[in-house]
Amino acid sequence: KQWYQRRVRGVHCNTSLPCPHNVNNSGTGDLKGVRVFLDFISEDEEVRLVENIDKGEWLPSQSGRFKQDYGPRANYKRKKLKLDKFQGLPKYSQYLRDRLTSRDICELADFIPVEQCNLDYKPDLGSSI
């Protein structure tokens, strides 16, 4: 459970080292262009979110990790999008999208998400966000 909390709720740092992101308890730090919203979701919301995410199928990514991708498929070389399999964003995350655009976050006032990607990062594999 502790790993899920770090993965879903905020910036992940190895707790045995000082945080290189310099994020303090007020959610501010030295990362230009990055804002951290502490407790953006409650612990109960987090548990339900992870349960819903894990109900979906995890597919291998090019990096060898696993992902769930909701959105148009992009061919970056050909600069084309394929919408044939896109059926919209998952309903379980609608409240997060609503919360992002309803808060006093001027940078996101006109934001319309068109994709969602869930990445399965495991600290024991040397991967973290």
Side-chain angles (χ1 to χ4, degrees):
K1 184 179 184 224
Q2 187 67 24
W3 176 74
Y4 279 126
Q5 286 179 344
R6 288 198 310 255
R7 176 180 72 167
V8 174
R9 295 185 81 197
V11 176
H12 167 73
C13 295
N14 182 336
T15 54
S16 65
L17 301 172
C19 175
H21 307 108
N22 195 27
V23 175
N24 59 34
N25 288 335
S26 68
T28 61
D30 292 336
L31 288 174
K32 292 184 181 193
V34 174
R35 291 177 62 188
V36 176
F37 296 90
L38 299 176
D39 300 318
F40 184 76
I41 63 174
S42 70
E43 288 187 31
D44 289 340
E45 289 171 323
E46 171 195 336
V47 169
R48 286 191 305 276
L49 179 62
V50 170
E51 286 171 353
N52 281 309
I53 288 171
D54 283 339
K55 287 178 187 175
E57 182 180 7
W58 290 98
L59 300 173
S61 68
Q62 290 180 345
S63 68
R65 294 173 177 88
F66 290 88
K67 68 178 181 173
Q68 297 171 341
D69 206 351
Y70 302 92
R73 292 185 306 160
N75 183 325
Y76 295 102
K77 274 188 177 180
R78 296 183 180 168
K79 297 181 181 179
K80 293 190 177 201
L81 291 177
K82 280 192 171 184
L83 300 171
D84 57 334
K85 295 183 181 179
F86 180 55
Q87 298 180 1
L89 301 176
K91 290 181 183 177
Y92 66 76
S93 60
Q94 181 64 51
Y95 75 97
L96 292 173
R97 296 188 298 275
D98 292 343
R99 194 172 295 169
L100 279 170
T101 56
S102 68
R103 287 199 164 205
D104 187 24
I105 307 171
C106 59
E107 299 92 342
L108 297 176
D110 298 323
F111 178 67
I112 300 172
V114 295
E115 67 179 335
Q116 175 179 323
C117 186
N118 301 326
L119 302 172
D120 187 25
Y121 283 96
K122 295 185 180 181
D124 57 319
L125 295 177
S127 59
S128 62
I129 293 180

